[in-house]
Amino acid sequence: MARAWQQPLPDMPAPPPSAAWGRIAPPSGYEPQWRRLVDAALELDLGPDDLAAGGLDAVAQAREWKPATVALYSKVARYGGLALPLPATPEPDPVALDLRPLTLVRGEDPEHLRSVAWCALALGWPAPVGVFRSLRRDQVRVTSRRLLISTDDGEWAVPGALTAWHAWEACRNRFPALAASPWVLPALRRGPGLDSRIGGRLSSQALQATFTKHARSTVGHLRATVTPSRREAVEQLAVDYRRLSYDTYRRLALAAGAPPVTARGVVRAARTVSRSARAGRLAG
């Protein structure tokens, strides 16, 4: 376990931020995230004691980090020995949102089809991003009416995802590296890592970035194809999509009635449903 960071003794000046960070060993398994956290802190001339005292608010504001990113780096900082409070994951806002545009096939680009297949699966099987990262193709079976997903935790039937799944499978079968990949959501290009390869397993961070990119490209498509009568509704949807994360997407799917895959997020989704029901009764 990493040795906890010690606050400087009274009346003793703290070392320069770069030197102070250099005295802390990165937490095992989180070296890249630790390096990005240190770089973000040094941009604001903050040392580890400054971060421990003031939290991540200043860094998050400067980097425009979303709540899920703040939660990730808070965890990394704690693993490195900095006693930062873990921020609470915010409730979905709005509590209901039309997610279907994210599941519609509108082209043949592999990255688009991979994202559409992911969103279509997650709408009926809202697993956390880490579960999707490790989901293999042999865990998904196709029937005439739905997809069947099997994991160590059970088996789920996913309706409404066949079109997206077949489009993605047809696309990946045109590329040998993708066709041979065992992963449902494989890498489409090589990354910076030495072991990165086409068809390899993506990181959770890469999948989060993929979802954000897909949501923003969907916004562009909606604005380009909207009719004048629906322009106001599409503009509101575009605002919601631009701040949508995958974690919020899955909680909205849970709140809409999708069966839970893991315990994570189920309590918050139940609160969202109750809140929405109360609002409906008050409006009535």
Side-chain angles (χ1 to χ4, degrees):
M1 178 177 292
R3 183 169 57 86
W5 169 254
Q6 300 293 322
Q7 295 283 352
L9 295 174
D11 302 324
M12 291 290 290
S18 58
W21 284 112
R23 297 177 182 179
I24 307 177
S28 177
Y30 290 89
E31 290 84 357
Q33 293 86 352
W34 179 263
R35 185 174 62 252
R36 286 190 287 269
L37 175 63
V38 172
D39 290 343
L42 287 176
E43 283 185 2
L44 300 180
D45 200 31
L46 297 176
D49 53 327
D50 301 315
L51 214 61
L56 287 180
D57 290 346
V59 176
Q61 184 175 2
R63 287 293 183 103
E64 298 182 350
W65 283 347
K66 293 184 177 181
T69 307
V70 175
L72 168 65
Y73 285 110
S74 295
K75 179 176 70 174
V76 171
R78 290 172 69 88
Y79 288 167
L82 304 184
L84 293 183
L86 284 176
T89 305
E91 298 288 351
D93 182 21
V95 296
L97 186 64
D98 183 9
L99 303 175
R100 291 171 298 175
L102 295 166
T103 69
L104 301 178
V105 175
R106 61 173 190 270
E108 297 184 355
D109 177 68
E111 188 170 8
H112 165 71
L113 292 175
R114 183 186 62 183
S115 299
V116 167
W118 179 19
C119 289
L121 282 170
L123 200 59
W125 189 68
V129 66
V131 175
F132 266 107
R133 174 179 180 255
S134 300
L135 186 66
R136 302 186 308 275
R137 295 169 81 185
D138 59 15
Q139 293 177 279
V140 182
R141 292 187 292 115
V142 181
T143 70
S144 59
R145 300 180 60 184
R146 62 192 66 200
L147 298 175
L148 299 178
I149 299 179
S150 301
T151 71
D152 293 339
D153 297 319
E155 185 172 283
W156 289 263
V158 183
L162 281 176
T163 299
W165 178 262
H166 286 310
W168 169 227
E169 283 288 292
C171 170
R172 65 185 296 169
N173 284 335
R174 298 198 299 267
F175 304 93
L178 298 180
S181 173
W183 309 113
V184 166
L185 303 175
L188 302 180
R189 57 186 66 87
R190 289 195 61 183
L194 294 177
D195 59 346
S196 176
R197 59 184 179 82
I198 297 174
R201 185 164 63 157
L202 284 171
S203 66
S204 295
Q205 187 175 14
L207 280 177
Q208 295 280 12
T210 293
F211 180 87
T212 299
K213 182 178 179 180
H214 178 57
R216 294 186 176 182
S217 68
T218 302
V219 166
H221 173 75
L222 291 174
R223 282 176 166 161
T225 58
V226 66
T227 60
S229 62
R230 295 197 66 249
R231 185 169 300 280
E232 184 176 348
V234 165
E235 284 301 319
Q236 181 56 54
L237 193 65
V239 170
D240 294 331
Y241 273 18
R242 288 192 68 83
R243 63 189 183 205
L244 187 66
S245 68
Y246 175 72
D247 193 49
T248 300
Y249 180 91
R250 68 176 293 268
R251 294 209 309 274
L252 286 168
L254 285 166
V261 176
T262 68
R264 180 184 168 194
V266 174
V267 173
R268 287 192 294 269
R271 285 204 305 263
T272 301
V273 172
S274 300
R275 209 172 33 173
S276 182
R278 286 198 302 271
R281 286 196 300 268
L282 292 174

